[in-house]
Amino acid sequence: MRITVAEQPVGRLSDAWRLAVGTGRLDLALRRDYQDSLALVQREIGFRYIRGHGLLSDGVGVHRPYEYRGRRQVRHAFGYLDQIVDAYLELGVRPFVELGFMPSGLASGEQTVFWWRGNVTPPRSHTEWADLVRTTVGHLVDRYGLDEVRGWPIEVWNEPDLKEFWQDADADAYHRLFEVTAYAVKDVDADLQVGGPALSPGADDGWLPRFAEFVTDRSVPIDFVSRHAYSSGPAQHVPFGVHQTLAPAQRLLEQFASPRRLLAGTALADLPVHITEFNSSYRPDNPVHDTAFHAAYLAPVLAGGGDLVDSFAYWTFSDVFEEVGIPTTLFHGGFGLLTHRQIRKPTYHLYAFMNRLGTQILARGADHLVTRDDTGRIAVLAWAPVDLTGGGPVDGHAVRLSLPVTDPAARTAFLLRSSVSEESGNAWRAWCELGRPPSPTARQLDVLRQAAEPARRHGSLPVLAGRVELDLHLARHEVTLAEVSPVVDETPPWWDERRLLGGEPS
């Protein structure tokens, strides 16, 4: 069946998909390969904010207690933090500030998370914690300017509903931390944005309403609400990796919608909602992130998520990521859109395709999104349905559209189509076919870079009665971007193809 796309827009495409992206712990930003990867991401996609763990952990070195003449004192050192933020700003991305984890010199216990040992216990002194927050935020304001830092969201902690990320998942202890932190931030400037609670997908439905009740009853300042969204099941461990079942992608959109559903009727109902982490799996060692399947799986989430929230941040942009240890192969199995050597993955290309869409939505369906920009160019993002059982991936799926052409003088339209699938733009598949080398040779890296490029084709489509018929036949796990532009024919009158080889003109 052919879908007739109306000429008048039905809405505007939100940029919520591009507002923020996740990263590994912040001190990784001191590495050259990390900065090179982020530079490429910013050049080709252009995120506005970046969020990662560990700003206050020992690796960044902000909190430095010492003893002098028998008295304990604290020095706040910002050398690493300045280098990190400077690098971000030079690359055109701003911090989405996450305040955590606990510096060891301030921690009330020894419980940690991740290979790099982020401490997840409450502060031994809330007064000292408040001073740490106030001094850190104040330093950022002094260095980068109040107007600039007022635009940086400041999030309090990460997934406090999970005992792995907050000791005993103690809600009361988190509420106290949030209150102390929010007031410390506002002490620097009342217009700075502070929010939370950055809940995990597994948080019970009572966690967020209880948090809303607490901040309302105590008049604690809050400017936005945050949570996370993942769709993977329990981990099936193998050496240096895991495999997991996945829920349908619609489950991610349901999680996006959850905060506004749970906060309806509360004082927090109208606050911005940020999904500060989302993905299929939360595990960096799950290889599903590298596959063409993954791009097709997430396509409907990127196409529709902006209707539900103010931002949703892919976790994470790069395989320079060490939550479960140092990567053992070129493909970390990672959350990353890139590998260490800037070899693009199918999900990266999905984001790059999103960047080519227009702002006017003309139509949307279960397998496509049709947009138009101010020049009249129509961009269609289409994707093949996925089979979550792995038993029968869909091949040959068709999307048939009738598209309006705004230029009444156009007799033809130019089609540029870019695709990733099992066969195209798929460095993971090429790596598997090369025997999964853990340390590819220079020649193998060249092969992988070439294999990572999307398949591109072009053609001319006739315009009949102001419309173009576009038939997209999608291969297994294919995501395609079809760009249709009206053509102004400027061919000189003496041109004749037969003269290329010296033939006689017609």
Side-chain angles (χ1 to χ4, degrees), residues 58-173:
D58 291 351
V60 179
V62 172
H63 183 265
R64 308 294 292 275
Y66 65 96
E67 243 186 57
Y68 182 67
R69 292 183 176 176
R71 292 184 57 193
R72 182 183 184 278
Q73 300 184 57
V74 176
R75 178 177 182 176
H76 299 112
F78 299 110
Y80 276 7
L81 180 58
D82 291 347
Q83 291 181 58
I84 292 166
V85 177
D86 287 354
Y88 285 158
L89 295 179
E90 287 172 7
L91 293 170
V93 66
R94 292 173 166 83
F96 194 121
V97 179
E98 177 201 308
L99 293 177
F101 293 116
M102 195 60 59
S104 60
L106 182 52
S108 60
E110 297 182 356
Q111 181 184 339
T112 62
V113 69
F114 302 142
W115 170 81
W116 48 272
R117 299 180 62 81
N119 191 289
V120 296
T121 66
R124 187 168 60 244
S125 164
H126 282 86
T127 299
E128 189 171 316
W129 168 263
D131 186 51
L132 170 62
V133 170
R134 193 180 300 110
T135 304
T136 301
V137 174
H139 170 79
L140 294 174
V141 168
D142 290 343
R143 183 173 178 85
Y144 302 105
L146 181 57
D147 288 344
E148 173 67 31
V149 181
R150 278 176 174 170
W152 302 357
I154 301 173
E155 186 179 41
V156 182
W157 213 256
N158 175 78
E159 297 188 354
D161 59 291
L162 295 182
K163 59 181 176 59
E164 292 83 3
F165 286 99
W166 181 243
Q167 184 174 277
D168 301 324
D170 186 333
D172 290 337

Side-chain angles (χ1 to χ4, degrees), residues 274-489:
H274 297 294
I275 306 298
T276 50
E277 293 179 19
F278 95 96
N279 207 321
S280 55
S281 170
Y282 52 88
R283 294 281 309 205
D285 50 355
N286 186 333
V288 73
H289 303 104
D290 304 320
T291 63
F293 164 92
H294 198 248
Y297 175 79
L298 287 185
V301 179
L302 267 67
D307 296 337
L308 303 171
V309 291
D310 294 271
S311 75
F312 49 106
Y314 185 86
W315 189 257
T316 67
F317 87 90
S318 173
D319 278 6
V320 184
F321 191 61
E322 300 175 354
E323 283 189 355
V324 295
I326 296 171
T328 58
T329 66
L330 171 76
F331 283 84
H332 186 22
F335 291 116
L337 301 178
L338 301 179
T339 65
H340 295 182
R341 293 167 179 84
Q342 299 191 5
I343 298 171
R344 300 161 179 83
K345 301 181 185 180
T347 303
Y348 177 93
H349 292 305
L350 168 62
Y351 268 83
F353 292 170
M354 288 290 296
N355 198 36
R356 294 287 300 162
L357 295 178
T359 57
Q360 305 168 31
I361 298 176
L362 299 184
R364 61 176 23 161
D367 55 5
H368 67 276
L369 175 65
V370 183
T371 69
R372 184 174 60 206
D373 66 16
D374 293 338
T375 71
R377 179 184 62 94
I378 290 178
V380 179
L381 182 72
W383 54 90
V386 299
D387 177 7
L388 292 176
T389 69
V394 177
D395 201 354
H397 180 74
V399 178
R400 296 183 171 90
L401 303 168
S402 172
L403 303 174
V405 176
T406 55
D407 186 345
R411 296 294 176 262
T412 63
F414 177 73
L415 169 66
L416 176 63
R417 182 173 173 183
S418 305
S419 298
V420 295
S421 66
E422 289 297 326
E423 303 301 326
S424 304
N426 192 341
W428 164 262
R429 178 58 54 196
W431 181 68
C432 294
E433 292 164 351
L434 285 168
R436 295 179 172 85
S439 299
T441 65
R443 171 59 183 157
Q444 288 172 327
L445 285 173
D446 286 342
V447 169
L448 292 174
R449 289 191 188 96
Q450 293 171 31
E453 288 299 311
R456 293 186 173 91
R457 67 197 86 168
H458 53 82
S460 179
L461 301 174
V463 177
L464 300 173
R467 288 193 161 266
V468 161
E469 292 191 352
L470 178 66
D471 291 343
L472 300 173
H473 297 278
L474 303 178
R476 189 163 54 111
H477 298 152
E478 181 173 351
V479 177
T480 194
L481 175 71
E483 301 174 77
V484 178
S485 305
V487 170
V488 176
D489 192 350

Side-chain angles (χ1 to χ4, degrees), residues 243-259:
H243 301 287
Q244 295 165 286
T245 58
L246 295 181
Q250 179 63 29
R251 189 72 56 82
L252 289 168
L253 296 175
E254 292 169 2
Q255 292 177 49
F256 286 13
S258 173

